Amino acid sequence: MVGIQACFRLNPDTERGLQLFDVTDPANPAQIGFLDTGGFARGVHEFTAVVRPDGVFALLTVPFSQDRDIAGRGDLRIADVSDPANPVEVADFHFERDAGLPGNNEGFGCFPSNFAHGAAANAAGTLAFVSSFDLGTVILDISDPTDPSFVGQT
């Protein structure tokens, strides 16, 4: 898997999202799937994969989605990548909409922003720890990956 970001996010022709590759032959990787994260958001900045009994899920951070995604999706996206040729976004989490936290432009300091930068999961894949500028770490219950819920923040 490879996260693709658009350096020039306003160009609608710039592809952004998650690429999935078959690396059976490491010298010749072949792209087998792609998950588009939508126009005008920058794309996948960082991600991590979680292997659970019910599937393989990618926790994708798509900075500034909360303000820029046409569909209004949040900065954290959860994708089912169990079938790498057909990845499917199963949920998103929007800090302001889903947890009542400050919006993207309500931070502090010289770069006042609240956007997801990275994400990791616990060993069981039931909790997500989302690193956010100015919000610290946002903790989510992802025991149901289609319905993430706010637990707290540090």
Side-chain angles (χ1 to χ4, degrees), residues 56-98:
V56 180
F57 297 91
L59 305 177
L60 314 172
T61 55
V62 184
F64 298 107
S65 282
Q66 299 177 155
D67 291 337
R68 298 178 181 158
D69 181 59
I70 295 167
R73 293 173 291 181
D75 281 11
L76 178 75
R77 314 284 182 84
I78 301 176
D80 185 338
V81 294
S82 302
D83 176 0
N86 298 293
V88 177
E89 185 175 307
V90 296
D92 74 281
F93 193 87
H94 189 295
F95 297 136
E96 190 173 14
R97 177 193 70 208
D98 299 326

Side-chain angles (χ1 to χ4, degrees), residues 5-14 16 38-43 63-64 67-69:
Q5 284 191 122
C7 293
F8 304 101
R9 73 172 176 79
L10 295 178
N11 180 348
D13 298 326
T14 303
R16 59 208 77 210
F40 300 104
R42 186 169 298 272
F64 298 107
D67 291 337
R68 298 178 181 158
D69 181 59

Side-chain angles (χ1 to χ4, degrees), residues 80-130:
D80 185 338
V81 294
S82 302
D83 176 0
N86 298 293
V88 177
E89 185 175 307
V90 296
D92 74 281
F93 193 87
H94 189 295
F95 297 136
E96 190 173 14
R97 177 193 70 208
D98 299 326
L101 297 171
N104 277 148
N105 298 311
E106 299 176 39
F108 54 89
C110 64
F111 186 55
S113 300
N114 295 319
F115 62 90
H117 188 268
N122 66 340
T126 56
L127 291 174
F129 303 92
V130 184

